[in-house]
Amino acid sequence: MAKESGSTAERTVQIKWAADVAEHDYDAAAAYLSLRLGEDAVAKAVSRLRKATLTTRRANDILRAAGLTAAALDDPGVMKDLVKAVEGAALSPVLVLGAKKGADIADGFHRISLAYRLDPFGEIPLRLG
């Protein structure tokens, strides 16, 4: 019995990325960074992120630099982003602070985790401050 072309092909989710970071993500980054840095340092870090050029990095490289493991697909935050991706919504680029001793994901851990779980070598748009 011949199979129809493409009938058994596995469907994959393609992440669409927004052209720029959503404004509320800077507030989320500031909230997270306030747990790690003083008030002045948070303001400077967010300012650097706002001024940074949008670029791309591979999902696996971002996680390695931050010393993190991707969250599982069944993590509530990852699932929320997965639903958005399946519906065709564009996800916001992520915010990453670089440092000599590693990186810190200021906002977008769940989006990076989703991208990693779909394609570890996929390019993720980000502002690197």
Side-chain angles (χ1 to χ4, degrees):
M1 177 180 232
K3 292 183 183 178
E4 276 184 35
S5 177
S7 65
T8 60
E10 183 179 31
R11 299 187 79 196
T12 58
V13 175
Q14 296 295 317
I15 298 176
K16 293 179 189 173
W17 294 100
D20 206 353
V21 176
E23 186 60 33
H24 64 87
D25 289 339
Y26 292 104
D27 295 335
Y32 165 74
L33 292 171
S34 72
L35 298 171
R36 300 183 54 101
L37 306 170
E39 190 175 324
D40 290 341
V42 169
K44 287 178 184 177
V46 172
S47 177
R48 283 197 328 263
L49 288 168
R50 286 183 181 278
K51 293 175 186 174
T53 304
L54 198 65
T55 187
T56 62
R57 294 293 189 277
R58 290 180 0 179
N60 65 328
D61 289 338
I62 298 168
L63 291 168
R64 282 188 325 160
L68 299 172
T69 301
L73 280 173
D74 63 355
D75 176 276
V78 176
M79 287 295 298
K80 181 179 173 183
D81 287 330
L82 177 58
V83 168
K84 288 179 185 178
V86 168
E87 291 174 346
L91 301 182
S92 181
V94 301
L95 299 170
V96 178
L97 284 179
K100 290 179 182 178
K101 294 185 179 184
D104 197 356
I105 300 169
D107 182 68
F109 172 72
H110 292 105
R111 295 187 298 277
I112 295 168
S113 294
L114 172 61
Y116 177 85
R117 295 298 176 193
L118 297 175
D119 178 7
F121 308 109
E123 294 285 329
I124 296 177
L126 60 97
R127 287 190 184 264
L128 179 60

